[in-house]
Amino acid sequence: STVQGPGGEAGVMRIKGTQRGLAMALAGNGRWTYLDPRLGAMHAVAEAARKVACTGATPVAATNCLNFGNPEKPEIMAPLSSAIDGIAEACTALGTPITGGNVSLYNETKGEGIYPTPVMGIVGIIEDVTKSVPSGFRKGGERIILLSANAPRDADECLLEQFGSSDYAKTVLGSLWGRPPRLEIAEEAELHKCLAALAEERLMTSASDVSDGGIAVTLAKASFAKGVGAAVSLDHIDGDAVAVELFNEEASVVVVTCTDAAFTRLTEVCGQFGAVAARDIGTTGGKMLDIFTPNGSAISDSVAALESSWAGTLESQLAAEVVTA
């Protein structure tokens, strides 16, 4: 009954004896919840629901696992309480009631608690599983469209502060600061409805949620499924902060592909959802991932090399660990 298995944004299972299916996804970001417990927890709900929506399904219910340190300590209990409030707010806005869940508390090493990490599971329903949308690029010659339901940043909004919450900042720069990206939950809900409408008319050939690693990592991962590369022009990037823009993690952003024939109708459907903007950023094809900015080429590498680095990271990190008894 598996329609889409591991490796995509969400798993999709056919309900036996019907054309209906269930889409399921998990999300949780300990960095963001550490920096802002309420907002970080809301992002966990929104991201899991967005991944479900990328398949064309409508998110309908949620479950959770709340992973925290010792709740007897005020500095642990306060984020736990705030995270629960954030989950409640996001689930109410997205129409995904909590059907169950569990907690994992007292997670500490030498008295220091783990990052507060609520993990959300979202399940959605798709009426016709033959219309489910995969996450990876399918073939060359298709348009790459950036769908965004987040209003443009205000002039006084500090991008560097948001970048401090990214995986790039923590992993590459070895630091964590600032706060998570803002989340307009009503606009997020509009994006989910838009994705469902696009899938219903079979206008998308793939859809990937922009999350950990930002748009650069999203584009790379989308190329791995079939070994299909892409040429992308991010002309909205200006100035010298190219790495910040490439690896910044915005909320409510999805990369989709479509055929030339479907492009006009896709933009028309997006226009029916006032919060959703669609931007044509490139085309699929070849064996290279090329990302250009107004300053020239920012990334140029083969899909095979990128996939090798991505697939072998965990093994190499584990091999480098010094195990002590």
Side-chain angles (χ1 to χ4, degrees):
S1 298
T2 301
V3 178
Q4 289 188 35
E9 294 298 345
V12 180
M13 304 289 290
R14 178 183 288 105
I15 300 175
K16 290 184 178 180
T18 75
Q19 280 295 96
R20 303 180 86 196
L22 297 176
M24 296 155 280
L26 296 172
N29 192 318
R31 301 187 312 275
W32 289 1
T33 312
Y34 170 76
L35 293 170
D36 188 323
R38 185 186 185 99
L39 179 57
M42 291 180 69
H43 272 295
V45 177
E47 183 182 340
R50 192 181 318 124
K51 290 179 181 299
V52 165
C54 281
T55 69
T58 298
V60 295
T63 187
N64 65 83
C65 179
L66 306 181
N67 306 281
F68 288 78
N70 181 356
E72 298 174 42
K73 298 178 179 179
E75 65 272 23
I76 301 297
M77 187 62 206
L80 174 58
S81 177
S82 295
I84 291 170
D85 291 341
I87 290 170
E89 182 178 347
C91 284
T92 299
L94 297 180
T96 53
I98 297 288
T99 60
N102 69 326
V103 295
S104 178
L105 304 177
Y106 299 94
N107 294 291
E108 295 187 345
T109 299
K110 297 182 178 179
E112 183 172 348
I114 62 168
Y115 277 169
T117 310
V119 176
M120 298 302 302
I122 298 288
V123 63
I125 295 175
I126 184 168
E127 294 298 331
D128 184 352
V129 292
T130 67
K131 296 180 178 180
S132 62
V133 182
S135 63
F137 300 150
R138 312 316 290 170
K139 61 181 181 179
E142 296 188 333
R143 297 198 187 202
I144 303 173
I145 313 298
L146 194 65
L147 300 186
S148 173
N150 220 343
R153 288 189 293 268
D154 297 330
D156 60 349
E157 192 172 353
C158 180
L159 177 59
L160 190 60
E161 181 181 58
Q162 177 181 312
F163 183 64
S165 71
S166 69
D167 197 20
Y168 186 99
K170 184 176 185 296
T171 303
V172 178
L173 304 181
S175 185
L176 191 67
W177 71 88
R179 69 190 306 269
R182 60 191 169 90
L183 174 65
E184 303 294 339
I185 199 68
E187 295 178 358
E188 177 75 35
E190 283 288 285
L191 176 61
H192 299 175
K193 294 175 184 177
C194 178
L195 290 166
L198 294 173
E200 176 63 25
E201 295 191 33
R202 302 182 190 271
L203 296 173
M204 301 184 295
T205 54
S206 71
S208 299
D209 166 47
V210 176
S211 53
D212 283 356
I215 189 170
V217 171
T218 300
L219 290 167
K221 288 171 64 178
S223 71
F224 298 159
K226 299 285 186 178
V228 176
V232 173
S233 178
L234 300 179
D235 55 11
H236 64 289
I237 293 179
D238 195 14
D240 298 323
V242 174
V244 174
E245 292 279 8
L246 288 176
F247 300 103
N248 187 43
E249 297 165 3
E250 295 279 0
S252 309
V253 181
V254 174
V255 172
V256 307
T257 54
C258 70
T259 63
D260 284 338
F263 175 70
T264 299
R265 179 55 184 161
L266 182 145
T267 57
E268 289 175 352
V269 172
C270 291
Q272 297 170 10
F273 299 87
V276 180
R279 181 192 299 136
D280 189 347
I281 61 171
T283 58
T284 61
K287 298 297 181 181
M288 297 286 292
L289 176 62
D290 289 298
I291 302 179
F292 301 94
T293 73
N295 292 334
S297 176
I299 292 176
S300 182
D301 208 345
S302 70
V303 172
L306 292 170
E307 185 175 13
S308 177
S309 296
W310 173 77
T313 297
L314 179 60
E315 183 179 358
S316 63
Q317 288 184 343
L318 291 175
E321 288 287 336
V322 176
V323 179
T324 57

